[in-house]
Amino acid sequence: MAFDGLRFIHACNLYLDHALAGIASVSEKLRPICEDATLTAFDQILAECIERQVHFLLLTGNLFDPTDLSLRARLQLIEGLSLLEQHDIRVFIVPGTVDPPEAWDDGIPLPDNVTAFLANDCDPVAVLKDRRVIASVRVIGSGGNELDRIEQQSTRSIPSQSGVEAVSGQSRSAPYSVAVLDPRTSAEFIAASRPANHEPAGDYLALSGDSLRLTRLTSHGLAHHPGPSQGLTTAQTGLCSCTLVDVDSDGSAELTILPTASVRRERCQLTVSAETTQDELLDRILDEVKRQKTEENERAWYVEWMIDGSGPLMSWLEDESAVSEFADLVAIEMTERFPLPRQDVFLLQIREETAPLKQMAPNLLQRFPSAASELPAREDLIDAGQELIAAGLLDHSTLETL
C-alpha cells in the first residue's frame, strides 16, 4: 500500500526547570518569566503538537539535568507526556549526555504513549496509522561508532534560521525511516569532513547533543538538529525553536521552524570612537532596536550590548553609576518603543590606544623627509583618517595635525 505521509515535531535540549546562565540580576517583572522559561518552552512544544495533530513527538536528549534535583521538572515532564497521550500522540525519547539512561531509570513513570530508548541494542519501533506502519524510529551509535553507516555523499549544509525548507523525494511505498544519532555520533557527523560511501541510516537523521540549529542534505534524505528550545547561554541567541517535519506521500520532507522560547536572548556589538557622544550611542541603540522583531510566543527579551572602543564616552561608562544611569535612560526609551518587557545589559571592551599619535604627528615629516614628496594626496589622507576615527584609533585634532 502506498505511503501517504506523516507529520512529527523534533525538539532537543529542553533542560526543564534549568536556570538561564549568564544572566545578571533581572527586574521583578522579568524574574518569574526567566525562572519559568524552559518550562514555558516545553508548554509551547506541547501546544504545537496538539494544534498541528502530529503523529509523534521526537525528543533527542537533554530533557532535564538530574543535578538540578528539580521535582518541578519531572512533574511537568510527566504531565506534558500524559497530555499528549490524551490526544493519541506518541512520544519517542532518546537520552542525551546530560540525562543519560541511568537518569531515566530513577523512578520516572512514563505514560504508555512514550517509548524511551534506554538500552544500547534497541530495535526499531514502528509508528502506526490506521493499523498500518507509516514510519520507524531507531537509534544508532549507542552501541559503538556507526558513523561509517551514515550516508554523507554529496551532502551540503543549509542555513536554517527560520521559515521553511524542503527536500524533494520520489514516489515510495516503504515506511518513512527516522534514525536518531546519539550525541557522540551526532558530533562526529557534524564535524565530518570526508564523505563515506555507505548505506544511508534513514530518510531523516535526527541529530542530538548541544548544537545550534543545523540542516544537512544527504543523497537519500536529510539530517537535522532543531537547536535549543530556549536559549540558556550567551551563545544561544536569536530564535530558539522546535521543528515541524511534514513528510508528503512521495517521501519529501518540509521543515518548518516553530519558535518556542519565552525569553529571547540577543547580543549586539557596537563600536564607539573618541568623538561618539552619549546621545549618538543612544540613537544607534534605538536604530538597532527598530530592526529587532518579536515572536508571538515571546514574553521578554534579555539583550547584551557589547560596546568597545576608546575615548571620553568609554571612560565615562567605566563608572558603574554612569552605566546604571545610561541603562535607566535606555529602559525609559524601550518602554515606548518595544512591545515586550526587556532588560538591556551593557558590557564594555575598552580598547587601549595603539600609539601616541598626537605625539608622533608633529615629527613625522622631520623623521621621514625623503618621503615627503611621495605622501598621498590630502584628500586620500583625510579619507584614511576618517576610517581611523570611526574605528576609535584617531581623533579629529590629530588628523588636522597630520
Side-chain angles (χ1 to χ4, degrees), residues 314-331:
M314 292 297 290
S315 299
W316 178 70
L317 288 172
E318 282 189 87
D319 187 337
E320 287 187 11
S321 62
V323 174
S324 178
E325 176 186 335
F326 187 71
D328 290 342
L329 179 62
V330 171

Side-chain angles (χ1 to χ4, degrees), residues 45-369:
I45 294 171
L46 299 175
E48 294 285 5
C49 287
I50 295 170
E51 178 181 346
R52 298 175 186 274
Q53 299 180 328
V54 299
H55 294 97
F56 62 89
L57 168 63
L58 178 63
L59 300 172
T60 57
N62 301 338
L63 272 66
F64 63 93
D65 185 343
T67 64
D68 287 338
L69 300 176
S70 172
L71 178 60
R72 191 165 71 143
R74 297 193 176 203
L75 289 176
Q76 185 135 342
L77 175 62
I78 295 169
E79 290 177 2
L81 299 177
S82 299
L83 176 63
L84 294 184
E85 184 180 31
Q86 297 172 21
H87 290 268
D88 198 25
I89 297 174
R90 294 197 64 177
V91 181
F92 296 98
I93 295 175
V94 179
T97 53
V98 176
D99 59 343
E102 53 268 27
W104 289 90
D105 289 335
D106 190 22
I108 301 180
L110 298 176
D112 293 338
N113 63 318
V114 178
T115 298
F117 293 91
L118 303 182
N120 288 338
D121 57 350
C122 293
D123 294 327
V125 178
V127 179
L128 303 179
K129 177 182 178 182
D130 299 328
R131 297 185 179 182
R132 292 189 299 108
V133 177
I134 60 172
S136 65
V137 180
R138 66 186 178 118
V139 179
I140 66 171
S142 56
N145 186 0
E146 299 189 36
L147 183 59
D148 60 346
R149 298 174 55 193
I150 301 171
E151 174 65 67
Q152 298 179 70
Q153 188 176 19
S154 302
T155 63
R156 61 185 177 90
S157 295
I158 309 172
S160 50
Q161 297 305 313
S162 68
V164 175
E165 302 160 5
V167 179
S168 297
Q170 298 177 349
S171 178
R172 63 183 296 152
S173 59
Y176 194 76
S177 173
V178 176
V180 182
L181 277 60
D182 72 357
R184 183 195 61 193
T185 312
S186 290
E188 292 173 352
F189 176 81
I190 293 170
S193 57
R194 293 186 301 172
N197 299 324
H198 295 284
E199 63 178 352
D203 298 303
Y204 181 91
L205 302 184
L207 304 178
S208 61
D210 284 311
S211 172
L212 300 179
R213 191 181 310 115
L214 169 73
T215 303
R216 181 175 294 171
L217 287 179
T218 70
S219 57
H220 292 276
L222 59 84
H224 180 71
H225 194 303
S229 58
Q230 165 64 55
L232 296 177
T233 70
T234 54
Q236 296 172 339
T237 57
L239 184 70
C240 291
S241 60
C242 63
T243 300
L244 174 68
V245 183
D246 259 311
V247 184
D248 207 346
S249 57
D250 64 355
S252 62
E254 184 179 89
L255 306 187
T256 304
I257 306 305
L258 305 177
T260 54
S262 61
V263 178
R264 175 77 164 259
R265 302 185 69 156
E266 290 288 354
R267 174 170 283 196
C268 304
Q269 184 83 32
L270 294 176
T271 299
V272 303
S273 70
E275 305 301 320
T276 305
T277 66
Q278 179 179 327
D279 288 341
E280 289 171 343
L281 178 59
L282 178 60
D283 288 341
R284 289 174 62 185
I285 290 174
L286 296 180
D287 285 341
E288 182 66 29
V289 170
K290 291 179 183 177
R291 293 188 285 270
Q292 295 174 343
K293 304 301 181 183
T294 61
E295 298 291 338
E296 184 177 350
N297 57 286
E298 291 172 351
R299 299 175 59 194
W301 276 45
Y302 185 90
V303 183
E304 293 179 335
W305 296 90
M306 309 296 295
I307 303 176
D308 79 290
S310 60
L313 179 60
M314 292 297 290
S315 299
W316 178 70
L317 288 172
E318 282 189 87
D319 187 337
E320 287 187 11
S321 62
V323 174
S324 178
E325 176 186 335
F326 187 71
D328 290 342
L329 179 62
V330 171
I332 293 173
E333 294 288 342
M334 293 302 176
T335 56
E336 301 176 356
R337 301 169 185 263
F338 200 74
L340 295 175
R342 61 182 284 158
Q343 184 147 335
D344 294 89
V345 178
F346 298 91
L347 306 175
L348 305 183
Q349 296 175 326
I350 299 176
R351 187 184 304 163
E352 297 293 335
E353 296 288 351
T354 56
L357 291 174
K358 286 186 178 181
Q359 298 176 11
M360 291 171 57
N363 299 319
L364 287 177
L365 295 181
Q366 295 179 8
R367 293 178 60 187
F368 304 102

